[in-house]
Amino acid sequence: MRPTIALWAAVVFLGLQLSASSFPDNIENRSSQNLSSVPRDLPHTTESLDLSCNHIQKLHRGDFKNTTLLRFLNISWNSLEEIDPETFLDTPLLEDLDLSHNRLKNLLDQRYLLHADNLLVLNLACNKFLTMTLGSEFSSLVKLERLALGAKNISVGDFKNIAEVKLHTLTLSLEDDLGYEAGSLKDVHAQKLQIALTSNQIIVHDLFSDGLSLFAELELINLRKGYEDLSDQLRARKEIYTSSLYLSNISIKWPDLTNFVNVVLNTSLAHLYTADVVLSDLPQRDTDVATASKLKSFIVRRVVVNSFFFSQEAVYNFFINSPVDTLAIIDSPIIYMTCPKSQSRVLHLDFSYCSLSDSIFSRVVGQETIECENLNNMMNLILVGNNLKSLHLLSKRTQNMKSLRHLDLGLNSLVYDGLENCSWPPNIINMSLYSNGLTDSVFKCLPKGTEILDLQNNQISVIPSTILKLENLSSLNLNANRLRDLPVCNGFPILNELFLRSNSLHTPSVNKLGSCSRLKTLDVSSNPFTCTCGLKSFINLGIKSENQESDTGIELLSWPSDYRCAYPEVNREFTLSSILIPEVNCNVGLLATAILCPAIAIIILVMGLCHRLDIPWYICMIWKWTRAKHRARMRQVRPEDLVGIEFHAFVSYSQHDADWVHNSLIPNLEGPSGGLRICHHEKHFVPGKSIIENIITSVEKSRRSLFVLSAHFVKSEWCHYELYFASHQHLTQGSDSVVLVLLEPLPQYLIPSKYYQLKAMMNRHTYIEWPQDRAKHRLFWANLRAALQADLPNAPVTELEE
């Protein structure tokens, strides 16, 4: 018959304990797939296989031949009736085997265990075993640590085949109408005995008695009634071997609980643990509790209360006045805790994961709050995961606990505004304030003698310079805060360990560590480092730490794997030790030298090349040519302005320069490459007219006047006339009507004073110099043609050409 739901819940609870070994990597889950046999397609790498809740009736040899690495096997909740003796021949590494909730019938015939001698955990609970007699094959399980069994009858000698096996835990899953013979467990050598009851089952007197006599730890699971009998048995015993008694998944009334606890307090038991408790019939007034005991610890986990009308103070008084060294109420809905009525012997107090408020241990009389003075012996106080909000009030709640050395207030909602002074007891050396809402001001509200301080996961952005000096602080944990730089150690003169993981440090200032003369361990990993010049000294610190060459002796934890760049993007996720920041980028002097020296060398080289290749001349000529082209395009010449214009230019020159004009100038301007019409006196002056008239006529018929300047030019009287008339033409036609060509250098002092127009023109106009280098001639002619170029109407044949 299938076990009841209550028993199933108990075995599930046991299963969690039986599977306490390390979890495998390769897990194959084939649970609840309506399988009737072991699948053949299991991966070769399978280490954990779950075949629970299927319809497998038999295991055969070779079922696991492909899973030679198998370590964990769960075939619970099937219909197993038979297992071939060589089923596990191919699984030499098997450590955990769960065959519970099947139909196996005979514990004397489990020969498959002969090939499972590496088993650490074996669960055979909830099968069809009539007797608990174990076969000889169980003696081969020399490594077995946890064994779970169940049968209708347990007799003396049933466990003789495991007498040499040193178990840690033996679990007996009891069935209804259990037949138990006293002394049946004497052959079992185990540290702990677990007894799982069915719903409303009362534990057998002799079984409980043997448990108290033979096992250091005894656990009762699923207990619902029979507490008076248990209390009577404990009260009647003169000697108890058991030191630790566990009650798990129980339902109990308040009178039964307090009676049972008082009985335990008067025995030699050292530890009482209760977990998953449903508590009912709670009191309206205080319940007496023993004033002395040998019990060292009383621990309660996960209590659910079914009563609605009761005195909370009466409940809390019973627990807080218990004469034990360690009292713990964990993960239970208590909102307040009273102060002991007399000086308590409690050394360790743990109220983790409850709903306690800032009023803990205090009481209000009229308008005055009375602080607790009866916990002077307490050394450790743990209030993790409650509803505490004011750090200042907590200091007042604990101020009379003169022996308090360890205080854990993590995972609360604590804040401190810095306006009121805190009054901690004097002997606290270990303070845990992790995962609260504390800011920079918390450093004004700390016990002066603190040696170890945990402030991780708060809102601290900087350690203020005006803080309370913690002269004994050796370890400071500021992980997961908002710090932007390394702190100075002026307030912590003997600081040895500093943890700054997961803050907002971009460029830690290594020079601040100079104030931390005793610092040996530093963790700045998992920060958003900016990998620029400012980080170079920190990178050097990490490299020296890795090579154990640091002058300060500081060890940088998790270097280099957890130190990565966040910026710039090109270096993102690179480790700090793998990036290279050139020294020249970080040293202004080197950077200036690296830039200026090549720049100066290039400038000198360019200037030398320019001088040698006459590049400035080319640039000047190209500039002139460009300007000429631009003026030609931009200047808007009206058609009436060109009436009577027949030539592009009238050439004025000295007779001494005639050879150059006839052989070079005119051919290059009038030839096929030039296409210009040039007026000059040898060809176009009309005989019979005066020279002055010819000059005036030629200037008027030319778009521009071209003067070939030389030392001879300024000595020619006719050239002076031509310049004079052209200057008047310049006033009427604009600044581009005169073009100057400097045939040879012509210093200003060589120009006679009467040529003041020429001096003015040379000062105002850019002139074109004739280059002596033949390589420059082409650019010269192109520049000159560009300066003279203009669209003229087709000139008629004139008397000048006749």
Side-chain angles (χ1 to χ4, degrees):
M1 183 175 69
R2 177 160 294 208
T4 62
I5 294 176
L7 182 57
W8 176 84
V11 175
V12 168
F13 178 80
L14 297 175
L16 295 174
Q17 295 181 316
L18 295 177
S19 301
S21 305
S22 58
F23 289 100
D25 294 326
N26 300 298
I27 300 174
E28 190 73 16
N29 186 0
R30 300 294 180 91
S31 176
S32 303
Q33 295 187 6
N34 203 29
L35 299 174
S36 59
S37 61
V38 177
R40 299 296 181 183
D41 60 343
L42 297 173
H44 295 286
T45 58
T46 301
E47 294 183 36
S48 176
L49 176 60
D50 188 353
L51 294 173
S52 62
C53 302
N54 283 292
H55 303 288
I56 300 173
Q57 294 184 342
K58 184 177 181 180
L59 295 180
H60 306 83
R61 177 180 178 177
D63 279 350
F64 303 102
K65 65 180 179 180
N66 293 328
T67 56
T68 57
L69 300 178
L70 193 64
R71 293 169 53 208
F72 296 78
L73 177 60
N74 183 359
I75 319 183
S76 62
W77 294 100
N78 276 272
S79 303
L80 270 178
E81 296 179 353
E82 183 181 351
I83 301 176
D84 189 283
E86 296 184 346
T87 295
F88 301 112
L89 188 64
D90 302 311
T91 57
L93 303 179
L94 190 62
E95 297 177 357
D96 191 323
L97 177 60
D98 189 349
L99 296 171
S100 63
H101 297 90
N102 281 289
R103 297 176 181 175
L104 300 175
K105 296 179 180 179
N106 189 0
L107 279 170
L108 280 170
D109 186 25
Q110 306 294 318
R111 287 175 294 164
Y112 57 87
L113 294 176
L114 294 172
H115 299 292
D117 52 2
N118 276 319
L119 277 179
L120 301 177
V121 179
L122 175 61
N123 189 351
L124 289 167
C126 302
N127 277 279
K128 301 294 183 179
F129 303 130
L130 294 177
T131 64
M132 193 67 81
T133 309
L134 304 182
S136 59
E137 54 270 14
F138 281 88
S139 62
S140 66
L141 305 178
V142 294
K143 297 181 181 180
L144 197 64
E145 296 177 358
R146 300 174 185 271
L147 175 62
L149 299 166
K152 287 186 174 295
N153 296 283
I154 303 176
S155 305
V156 174
D158 283 351
F159 296 97
K160 65 181 181 180
N161 283 320
I162 61 169
E164 302 300 321
V165 179
K166 306 298 182 182
L167 294 172
H168 178 274
T169 303
L170 172 65
T171 302
L172 298 179
S173 178
L174 304 187
E175 300 187 18
D176 294 330
D177 302 321
L178 171 71
Y180 180 82
E181 184 179 357
S184 297
L185 297 175
K186 65 180 181 179
D187 293 323
V188 178
H189 294 89
Q191 172 73 18
K192 185 176 184 178
L193 174 65
Q194 290 179 323
I195 302 174
L197 306 172
T198 60
S199 179
N200 296 318
Q201 186 179 15
I202 298 176
I203 188 169
V204 176
H205 181 280
D206 291 336
L207 177 58
F208 185 58
S209 179
D210 283 354
L212 292 174
S213 301
L214 300 171
F215 301 92
E217 300 178 32
L218 177 60
E219 181 172 5
L220 306 180
I221 305 171
N222 272 356
L223 198 59
R224 297 290 182 270
K225 57 185 181 179
Y227 294 103
E228 290 185 11
D229 292 340
L230 295 178
S231 299
D232 291 341
Q233 273 190 264
L234 286 171
R235 188 181 293 110
R237 291 186 67 94
K238 295 181 180 180
E239 192 173 325
I240 298 176
Y241 176 73
T242 298
S243 62
S244 299
L245 179 61
Y246 300 79
L247 302 176
S248 302
N249 194 32
I250 66 170
S251 295
I252 190 169
K253 297 179 180 180
W254 179 258
D256 291 335
L257 174 65
T258 54
N259 180 52
F260 184 81
V261 170
N262 276 318
V263 170
V264 169
L265 290 173
N266 287 291
T267 65
S268 62
L269 285 168
H271 307 284
L272 176 60
Y273 302 90
T274 63
D276 300 293
V277 179
V278 178
L279 193 56
S280 58
D281 291 352
L282 273 76
Q284 297 294 336
R285 59 180 62 89
D286 284 352
T287 305
D288 292 336
V289 61
T291 57
S293 77
K294 295 181 181 179
L295 194 66
K296 294 181 179 180
S297 63
F298 181 17
I299 297 174
V300 181
R301 291 179 180 271
R302 295 182 295 277
V303 176
V304 176
V305 175
N306 280 345
S307 300
F308 295 99
F309 302 101
F310 63 95
S311 170
Q312 293 190 39
E313 187 172 343
V315 174
Y316 302 150
N317 280 337
F318 179 82
F319 287 105
I320 198 65
N321 287 291
S322 299
V324 294
D325 294 335
T326 300
L327 175 64
I329 302 177
I330 301 170
D331 198 10
S332 301
I334 60 173
I335 60 175
Y336 174 70
M337 182 51 64
T338 57
C339 178
K341 294 181 178 179
S342 60
Q343 199 59 244
S344 174
R345 67 173 259 198
V346 171
L347 302 177
H348 312 282
L349 201 54
D350 186 352
F351 295 139
S352 299
Y353 305 104
C354 295
S355 301
L356 295 170
S357 66
D358 295 337
S359 61
I360 183 173
F361 302 132
S362 65
R363 59 192 176 92
V364 178
V365 179
Q367 299 295 322
E368 184 180 1
T369 300
I370 307 299
E371 304 297 347
C372 183
E373 298 181 355
N374 292 330
L375 288 169
N376 287 349
N377 295 316
M378 187 168 59
M379 300 177 65
N380 297 324
L381 176 59
I382 302 174
L383 300 174
V384 174
N386 280 278
N387 193 31
L388 306 176
K389 296 182 178 180
S390 172
L391 188 63
H392 167 253
L393 288 179
L394 262 295
S395 73
K396 296 179 69 176
R397 299 293 98 91
T398 60
Q399 62 183 331
N400 296 318
M401 301 175 186
K402 305 302 182 183
S403 300
L404 188 61
R405 296 175 64 81
H406 173 84
L407 178 59
D408 192 342
L409 301 173
L411 290 170
N412 279 281
S413 303
L414 291 171
V415 295
Y416 175 66
D417 56 14
L419 300 179
E420 298 179 277
N421 293 328
C422 295
S423 51
W424 297 105
N427 293 315
I428 295 179
I429 60 173
N430 191 332
M431 188 82 163
S432 295
L433 295 167
Y434 56 90
S435 299
N436 281 284
L438 298 168
T439 59
D440 310 344
S441 59
V442 68
F443 289 97
K444 298 179 182 179
C445 182
L446 294 172
K448 293 182 180 180
T450 304
E451 297 178 8
I452 300 174
L453 179 58
D454 188 349
L455 284 167
Q456 64 177 313
N457 195 26
N458 278 281
Q459 309 296 320
I460 300 169
S461 58
V462 67
I463 297 180
S465 56
T466 57
I467 64 171
L468 182 68
K469 194 168 186 178
L470 302 176
E471 296 184 349
N472 298 326
L473 189 66
S474 62
S475 178
L476 176 58
N477 190 339
L478 290 168
N479 290 341
N481 276 276
R482 299 179 178 181
L483 290 169
R484 296 184 176 273
D485 203 353
L486 296 175
V488 293
C489 298
N490 295 336
F492 326 120
I494 65 168
L495 189 66
N496 184 263
E497 298 177 337
L498 178 59
F499 303 97
L500 301 170
R501 184 182 182 92
S502 301
N503 275 271
S504 299
L505 279 74
H506 298 281
T507 311
S509 302
V510 176
N511 60 318
K512 291 187 177 182
L513 296 178
S515 63
C516 307
S517 58
R518 301 282 190 91
L519 190 64
K520 297 300 177 186
T521 302
L522 177 64
D523 187 356
V524 199
S525 57
S526 300
N527 275 279
F529 295 107
T530 300
C531 295
T532 54
C533 290
L535 198 64
K536 193 171 180 65
S537 58
F538 181 78
I539 295 175
N540 292 336
L541 174 67
I543 294 173
K544 288 181 179 179
S545 171
E546 183 180 11
N547 299 328
Q548 297 182 345
E549 299 175 353
S550 174
D551 299 334
T552 59
I554 295 176
E555 177 190 4
L556 207 57
L557 298 183
S558 303
W559 176 275
S561 59
D562 291 344
Y563 294 76
R564 298 180 179 274
C565 297
Y567 179 85
E569 194 65 32
V570 67
N571 290 328
R572 189 174 183 86
E573 294 305 320
F574 280 79
T575 60
L576 301 192
S577 61
S578 66
I579 65 167
L580 177 64
I581 303 177
E583 183 65 29
V584 68
N585 291 355
C586 306
N587 189 310
V588 176
L590 285 178
L591 184 60
T593 302
I595 294 175
L596 292 178
C597 288
I600 292 173
I602 291 172
I603 290 171
I604 293 173
L605 179 62
V606 169
M607 290 178 66
L609 289 173
C610 288
H611 178 73
R612 183 168 184 82
L613 302 177
D614 215 0
I615 291 177
W617 185 89
Y618 281 101
I619 294 174
C620 181
M621 295 300 289
I622 291 172
W623 171 245
K624 292 176 181 178
W625 179 82
T626 303
R627 288 189 62 191
K629 284 289 187 182
H630 178 71
R631 285 196 302 268
R633 286 195 301 270
M634 299 302 295
R635 183 175 176 83
Q636 299 296 324
V637 182
R638 295 173 299 177
E640 56 267 25
D641 293 338
L642 297 177
V643 174
I645 300 300
E646 300 176 6
F647 301 99
H648 287 91
F650 165 68
V651 181
S652 174
Y653 57 93
S654 169
Q655 196 61 34
H656 292 281
D657 302 321
D659 290 342
W660 181 81
V661 172
H662 296 149
N663 298 328
S664 296
L665 179 66
I666 293 177
N668 277 286
L669 296 182
E670 287 191 335
S673 60
L676 302 177
R677 295 201 292 272
I678 304 300
C679 175
H680 55 97
H681 66 272
E682 284 93 344
K683 183 178 180 180
H684 297 102
F685 274 21
V686 178
K689 285 188 176 181
S690 66
I691 294 176
I692 297 298
E693 286 182 305
N694 274 313
I695 291 172
I696 294 173
T697 302
S698 297
V699 169
E700 290 177 346
K701 290 185 177 183
S702 299
R703 179 72 179 84
R704 293 180 176 86
S705 296
L706 176 62
F707 294 93
V708 181
L709 304 180
S710 66
H712 300 292
F713 182 89
V714 298
K715 296 178 182 178
S716 171
E717 191 68 26
W718 294 114
C719 288
H720 179 237
Y721 286 125
E722 291 171 347
L723 182 64
Y724 175 78
F725 292 122
S727 63
H728 285 280
Q729 187 75 3
H730 163 70
L731 293 175
T732 60
Q733 292 188 2
S735 60
D736 63 342
S737 63
V738 174
V739 179
L740 304 178
V741 175
L742 194 61
L743 194 59
E744 59 186 17
L746 187 62
Q748 292 276 337
Y749 66 86
L750 292 179
I751 302 175
S753 58
K754 64 180 181 179
Y755 279 89
Y756 64 89
Q757 296 100 333
L758 178 60
K759 289 183 178 182
M761 288 181 184
M762 291 182 71
N763 288 332
R764 291 195 306 268
H765 297 274
T766 302
Y767 47 82
I768 305 174
E769 297 183 57
W770 169 251
Q772 300 302 317
D773 188 354
R774 294 182 61 87
K776 302 177 182 178
H777 287 179
R778 292 184 62 185
L779 184 58
F780 171 84
W781 294 121
N783 206 0
L784 184 58
R785 284 193 290 268
L788 299 175
Q789 188 66 48
D791 295 329
L792 302 182
N794 293 327
V797 179
T798 65
E799 55 180 334
L800 287 175
E801 294 175 332
E802 291 174 356

